[in-house]
Every structure is written in structure tokens, then in C-alpha cells.
Amino acid sequence: MTSTASPPSSAIAASSTRKRAAETDTILPTKKKSKREKVSSQKQDARPTEVKKAETTSLDDSFAHMDAALLSDHVARKAKYFERKLTDLELEDKFIPEAAWHDTSSWDPRRDLDHLGDYLEHFCPARGKKSGLAWAPNAQGAPHTLMITGAALRAADLSRVLRRFKTKDASVAKLFAKHIKFKEAEQLVRSSRIGIAVGTPTRVLDLIQAGALSTEHLQRVILDASYQDAKQRNMFDMRETFLPLMTLLNLSGLRGRYVDASSKLDLLVY
């Protein structure tokens, strides 16, 4: 009978070593992350989302190129879109005439927060004995300038910029619902001399209809239309802001003054 030769002991040892190494590579557990490493990893994961969110908040530069006729037409088309159930005659009653819009298309700088104060000084000249924007009528709750925007946080940002026109006798009022109850806002307006008021359409409309905010000394209404939210929508794009805005602009105390030379009320778009 023929015998089979056994492999050398050195070859057996080498084979066993390779096998153990392979098994070790296969079952070696992954090192667990420490708590600090986990937190750091979570921050890294969140960073791209934060950047993306910041990038989606922008300005709609198209309004910078619209003259009075284009603005009037743009708002009319938005009204027809959001109020489809109205007849043409009913829509005509809500139409803001071309003569109401102050043409600001000559303004070259971007319509951002940095240029807002200069924009107002350029397009809002003094009337009568009053100089500039840093003053307020003697009556309580009767601003000379009203700025309307689509969101509460945006209104807070605008009011901070407009503090340059605040004096001890002329406040810059923030009029929005977020964190400010209506009764608190009403009391503040009734007890303050206001030069410039900044707010959202619904809150401003409610204060006017409650008799707290007066339009008697109002000289201009500025619409913060260029600002877009995270979904790329401006104040004309959202039903919840556009409809109360149209109600506000068509109040009897305002609408009749758009074309009245003796008590002219300017309508501007920023």
C-alpha cells in the first residue's frame, strides 16, 4: 500500500496563522464612538441642511424693475388668481389704480435690509414743516409711515433697521401676532406716539378696525414685496398674506387718498 506524505510542520503552522488572522479580521468589533464624537458627527450632518436653508431665503429682484403700470397689473392678476369666485365687476372694486403706485424702479441698490433706510430717505421726502422720517404726529397711534411684510420675524428684522429713525418722541412700532397678544399690541399703540409702524397685514388690519391704529396722518404705505421666505414666496404669492393685504389697501380711509392730491397717500414697493 502506498503511503501519503504529510506536509511539513512549518507549512501547517503558517496555514494556521493565516486562518487565525482571517478570522480575527472578520469578527473584529467596530470601535464604539464616544459621546463627544457622536455630538460632533451630528453637527457635521446638520451643517449642510442649515446652509441649504439659508440659501433658499432670498430676494425677488423682479420688483426692482416694475414701474407703476407693471405693479398695478401684477397685483390685479394676483387678485384674479386668489379670488376666482369674484366677478370682473367685483374685482374692479378691488383694483389698485396705477396712480396709487410710486415708481421706485430708478433705485439701483438691492432691496435688502442694508439699503432700506437709504431707500426710505430717497423716496420719502419731507412734507410741510416736518423734516425727514424721524418724527411722529402728536396723536397717539397715528404713524406717518406704515411698512407691511409677510412674516413676523421679518417684521422684527425690519423694525431693527428702522430704529435709525426712532427718537424720544417718535417710536418704531412692531405690529405682528407672534409672541405679542392683540390686547398688548392695542394698548401699546393707543399709548404711543408712532412715527413708523412695521407689521403683518392681518395684525395691522385688526388694529385699524379696532380703532387703535389711526390712518389720519398716514403719508405712505411700503410693501416689503421683494423678500422671499424659505419656499421662495413673496407676500403676493401667499393667500394668507395677500387677501388681508388687499382688504387693508382697500379700506375707505386709504383707497380714496391714492389719487387725492390734497391728502395723497403713496404706495411703494421695496
Side-chain angles (χ1 to χ4, degrees), residues 114-132:
D114 292 337
H115 296 101
L116 176 58
D118 295 336
Y119 170 93
L120 291 181
E121 289 184 329
H122 182 79
F123 289 108
C124 306
R127 294 188 183 182
K129 298 180 180 179
K130 301 300 181 183
S131 177

Side-chain angles (χ1 to χ4, degrees), residues 25-251:
D25 291 342
T26 302
I27 64 175
L28 185 65
T30 304
K31 181 182 178 182
K32 292 184 177 180
K33 290 183 179 181
S34 66
K35 186 175 181 181
R36 179 177 297 177
E37 288 173 332
K38 287 181 179 179
V39 172
S40 177
S41 177
Q42 290 171 356
K43 287 183 178 180
Q44 292 291 336
D45 292 341
R47 201 166 295 151
T49 302
E50 292 170 359
V51 171
K52 183 177 180 181
K53 183 176 181 181
E55 289 173 349
T56 56
T57 303
S58 60
L59 296 176
D60 185 346
D61 292 319
S62 65
F63 290 101
H65 308 291
M66 292 187 185
D67 59 14
L70 289 175
L71 284 170
S72 183
D73 180 67
H74 180 77
V75 174
R77 285 188 287 108
K78 289 292 184 179
K80 189 172 184 178
Y81 173 78
F82 284 121
E83 305 202 75
R84 300 181 186 89
K85 295 182 180 180
L86 296 184
T87 65
D88 289 342
L89 185 60
E90 289 171 324
L91 284 171
E92 186 68 25
D93 291 337
K94 292 177 174 287
F95 179 71
I96 306 297
E98 179 182 338
W101 302 95
H102 191 122
D103 186 355
T104 63
S105 58
S106 62
W107 180 254
D108 290 329
R110 289 207 79 192
R111 305 193 178 206
D112 53 20
L113 292 175
D114 292 337
H115 296 101
L116 176 58
D118 295 336
Y119 170 93
L120 291 181
E121 289 184 329
H122 182 79
F123 289 108
C124 306
R127 294 188 183 182
K129 298 180 180 179
K130 301 300 181 183
S131 177
L133 294 158
W135 66 280
N138 291 326
Q140 310 282 12
H144 56 70
T145 299
L146 184 59
M147 187 161 195
I148 306 296
T149 189
L153 292 178
R154 176 65 173 180
D157 290 338
L158 293 170
S159 64
R160 280 192 287 271
V161 172
L162 295 176
R163 283 177 185 169
R164 64 188 277 183
F165 303 115
K166 179 181 178 180
T167 69
K168 62 183 181 67
D169 296 319
S171 66
V172 174
K174 295 180 291 186
L175 308 177
F176 51 83
K178 193 176 182 67
H179 305 312
I180 304 176
K181 294 180 179 179
F182 180 78
K183 287 296 182 183
E184 294 175 357
E186 184 179 14
Q187 183 178 4
L188 174 66
V189 170
R190 291 184 183 276
S191 60
S192 305
R193 288 181 60 192
I194 302 172
I196 301 174
V198 185
T200 52
T202 300
R203 175 50 62 91
V204 170
L205 181 61
D206 288 344
L207 287 168
I208 292 176
Q209 293 178 332
L213 188 66
S214 171
T215 61
E216 181 181 359
H217 298 281
L218 197 61
Q219 297 180 359
R220 63 193 64 87
V221 177
I222 304 161
L223 307 182
D224 181 37
S226 297
Y227 171 76
Q228 293 178 315
D229 66 9
K231 295 181 179 180
Q232 302 289 291
R233 302 175 302 177
N234 60 57
M235 66 189 309
F236 294 141
D237 293 333
M238 298 177 284
R239 176 184 293 272
E240 62 269 26
T241 56
F242 183 79
L243 294 183
L245 173 64
M246 290 302 292
T247 301
L248 171 63
L249 296 180
N250 279 287
L251 289 175

